[in-house]
Amino acid sequence: YSGKTGNQLLGEHIRKLSVRDRKSIPVVCREDTSVYDAICTMFLEDVGTLFVLKENGILVGVVSRKDLLKSSMGNQDLQSIPVGVVMTRMPNIITCHPEESLLSAASKLIGNQVDALPVVKEETDGLEVVGRITKTTITKAFVELGEGASV
Ligand code: ADP
């Protein structure tokens, strides 16, 4: 018997959860995608954040629901505003790596007050997006831990 408390065991269990095993598929658009089309993509794909990529798949920005709401106020033509002018841009994007712990990613979500992190791999010309971690990812893991599933 290890003599560890239930909490210590739970903590060890939590720290073993990884971004690689938990990430979901990223939903992406281009910088020249219109605000209108970005809103459609959010509804169709049922996500709250889009990752904005260059032609070569390299991360250039992130656009959230509030970014799109803000740009939709007033009588602007949403078809003519590109996402590139309303998104948060590199290098100000908080990211995580596949090898990182889910706990570390969760801490970044809370610490930076954002809903989603792109999972990235370093390439010569920038960061390639390979996945997505959101508050839902963390909530799912939490529920599974609470229900005693082997996560
Ligand atoms: P919402 O706007 O729907 O509440 P967020 O709280 O995630 O969603 O976004 C708040 C702001 O932070 C937005 O301006 C968005 O562009 C930006 N943002 C979202 N995710 C990230 C991220 N991973 N790194 C940096 N900025 C982000």
Side-chain angles (χ1 to χ4, degrees):
Y1 178 62
S2 70
K4 285 178 183 158
T5 66
N7 258 342
Q8 284 171 321
L9 290 169
L10 182 60
E12 278 176 19
H13 199 147
I14 289 173
R15 283 188 291 275
K16 268 185 225 149
L17 301 178
S18 75
V19 164
R20 177 182 283 104
D21 296 343
R22 291 276 159 175
K23 65 182 164 56
S24 49
I25 293 172
V27 180
V28 305
C29 68
R30 300 263 286 266
E31 249 185 293
D32 59 3
T33 302
S34 69
V35 165
Y36 185 93
D37 285 343
I39 292 171
C40 292
T41 304
M42 274 191 184
F43 276 106
L44 288 172
E45 304 286 340
D46 196 19
V47 294
T49 311
L50 303 179
F51 302 137
V52 186
L53 308 185
K54 278 194 288 199
E55 299 70 35
N56 53 4
I58 295 299
L59 179 68
V60 284
V62 168
V63 67
S64 77
R65 285 176 286 214
K66 249 177 274 157
D67 295 330
L68 297 174
L69 263 183
K70 230 184 289 168
S71 58
S72 305
M73 295 172 79
N75 281 327
Q76 305 184 70
D77 175 14
L78 301 185
Q79 309 261 18
S80 70
I81 311 171
V83 150
V85 305
V86 304
M87 69 183 188
T88 300
R89 190 171 279 280
M90 282 291 284
N92 299 319
I93 306 297
I94 316 296
T95 64
C96 63
H97 296 266
E99 305 75 36
E100 201 168 328
S101 71
L102 197 62
L103 181 62
S104 162
S107 165
K108 286 180 180 176
L109 288 170
I110 291 296
N112 295 284
Q113 299 184 358
V114 293
D115 290 350
L117 302 176
V119 183
V120 299
K121 280 185 180 161
E122 263 119 40
E123 292 296 330
T124 43
D125 39 4
L127 299 175
E128 183 201 349
V129 177
V130 298
R132 166 171 71 99
I133 294 287
T134 69
K135 288 183 173 172
T136 304
T137 320
I138 310 299
T139 307
K140 267 191 201 154
F142 180 84
V143 168
E144 286 171 28
L145 283 168
E147 289 176 342
S150 49
V151 282

